[in-house]
Amino acid sequence: MDGYYWDSKFNYLSKTRWLYYNDDYLNFLLTNVWKITSPVRIIDFGCGYGYLGTKLLPLLPEGSTYTGVDAGGKLIEHAKEIFQQAPFKTEFILGDIQEMDFNQQYDIVVCHAFLLHVENPREILQKMTDCLVDRGRIICFETHWISNMASYYLDGIYPSDMVQLGFLQELFERDTQRSGKDGNVGIKVPIYLSRLGVRQIECRVSDRVNFLDPNCAAEKNNELYNSLKEDGFGADPGEEKLFITNLLNRGATFDEAQKEFMLESFLSKVFSKDVFLTYSPNMKITTGIIER
C-alpha cells in the first residue's frame, strides 16, 4: 500500500466532508426514511478515516457495529485513533477492495464518494451487495459532478464566467470512456443497482446549501471559505502551459483548454472571504434492499 494517493489527503478529507450534509438530515434519513430501529452491522467500502462512522454510529440504535475497509494505511491509522475512546464497536481493515471477498454477514453496506474513483463501479456494487444478509440495505453517497459544477453562485459574477458546463460535461464523459472512472456515477447508481437485482430503490439529494456570508461571524465564514478552497473552488490553476497540456491529454481542444485556464485564473482572483457565495454539492444518496 506504499504511496497510496489518499493517504496524503487526510487534511482535504477532514476539511471538506462536512460541506455535503446537515447532521439533522442524516438523522432524518436513518430514523424517518430508512426506519432503522434495531442494532445493525455496517461495513463501509473505502472508509477513509471513518467519516461515515463518526456520523452514523451516534445516530444508530445502541449495539450497532461498524467495519471500515480502505487501502490507505495512514487513513486506517487515523480512523483507529479517532475511534479509540469512542463507545462503539468498530473494526478497521487495511486492504484493496478490488482483491477482497466479503462474507454475507452485514445488515448495511455503505460507501461515500468512493465509486467515482474506481474503474469498475458496477463490479464494486456487486461486491457490496454480496456481503449483505437477506433484507440487507445498500446505501451509496456518490457524486454527480455536472450538477455540482452547475450549483455555484458567486455574487456579481455570471455563472458562465466561472464554469464551462458544456465543455466540462464532455470532458467528464471522455474521462469515463478512457479510464472507467466516473465522476457522474451518483446519478447512475439506481440503474446499476436495479440491474443487480436490488429492490425498493430510492434516490435522494444531499440537503446542504453552503452560504459564504461576509456579514456572519468571522470564524464561521473563515472555516467555510477554507473548506471550499480545500475542495478546489477558486484554487490557483497553476502554470498555464502545464494546465493546457493536461487538458489536451484529456481530449480538450486548445481553445477549450485555454478558456478553462482563463476562467479558473479569474475565479482564483475574485474568490475571497469577502464575497457572497452559495453552493450546493448535490450528492446523490441511493439505497435499496437485497432479497435473497
Side-chain angles (χ1 to χ4, degrees), residues 146 149 163-173 260:
I146 199 63
M149 298 305 296
V163 179
Q164 298 185 80
L165 278 178
F167 162 67
L168 290 174
Q169 186 171 17
E170 292 180 8
L171 187 69
F172 298 156
E173 290 168 354
E260 184 63 25

Side-chain angles (χ1 to χ4, degrees), residues 112-127:
H112 185 278
F114 174 64
L115 295 177
L116 80 159
H117 296 298
V118 301
E119 299 174 357
N120 54 340
R122 280 171 281 198
E123 292 178 20
I124 297 301
L125 286 169
Q126 181 69 72
K127 281 179 175 280

Side-chain angles (χ1 to χ4, degrees), residues 38-204:
S38 301
V40 289
R41 297 158 296 179
I42 298 179
I43 183 169
D44 184 357
F45 276 46
C47 68
Y49 67 90
Y51 164 77
L52 276 183
T54 67
K55 292 299 179 184
L56 298 180
L57 281 171
L59 304 175
L60 289 169
E62 185 176 354
S64 295
T65 65
Y66 173 84
T67 299
V69 185
D70 200 278
K74 292 181 180 179
L75 288 174
I76 290 292
E77 289 306 313
H78 280 299
K80 291 178 178 179
E81 290 175 10
I82 290 170
F83 284 92
Q84 188 173 16
Q85 303 300 325
F88 308 112
K89 185 177 179 180
T90 60
E91 178 186 20
F92 293 96
I93 301 170
L94 175 63
D96 185 347
I97 288 168
Q98 298 280 4
E99 301 175 358
M100 299 173 69
D101 293 316
F102 300 90
N103 294 328
Q104 200 178 103
Q105 60 178 311
Y106 298 97
D107 303 296
I108 297 177
V109 58
V110 298
C111 65
H112 185 278
F114 174 64
L115 295 177
L116 80 159
H117 296 298
V118 301
E119 299 174 357
N120 54 340
R122 280 171 281 198
E123 292 178 20
I124 297 301
L125 286 169
Q126 181 69 72
K127 281 179 175 280
M128 293 177 71
T129 60
D130 286 347
C131 73
L132 291 171
V133 299
D134 183 39
R135 304 296 300 168
R137 180 182 294 276
I138 181 171
I139 307 172
C140 302
F141 300 80
E142 289 293 336
T143 61
H144 183 211
W145 275 353
I146 199 63
S147 64
N148 175 290
M149 298 305 296
S151 298
Y152 291 96
Y153 178 70
L154 184 60
D155 186 44
I157 305 296
Y158 288 115
S160 58
D161 287 335
M162 296 190 301
V163 179
Q164 298 185 80
L165 278 178
F167 162 67
L168 290 174
Q169 186 171 17
E170 292 180 8
L171 187 69
F172 298 156
E173 290 168 354
R174 288 194 292 260
D175 284 346
T176 300
Q177 291 173 355
R178 184 178 62 253
S179 70
K181 297 180 180 180
D182 188 356
N184 290 310
V185 70
I187 202 70
K188 304 171 186 178
V189 170
I191 300 169
Y192 294 162
L193 291 183
S194 182
R195 288 175 173 164
L196 290 173
V198 179
R199 296 295 176 256
Q200 301 181 43
I201 297 169
E202 298 177 352
C203 190
R204 290 174 175 255

Side-chain angles (χ1 to χ4, degrees), residues 224-237:
L224 177 55
Y225 173 79
N226 291 330
S227 291
L228 290 168
K229 289 283 282 190
E230 187 73 36
D231 206 33
F233 185 79
D236 186 343

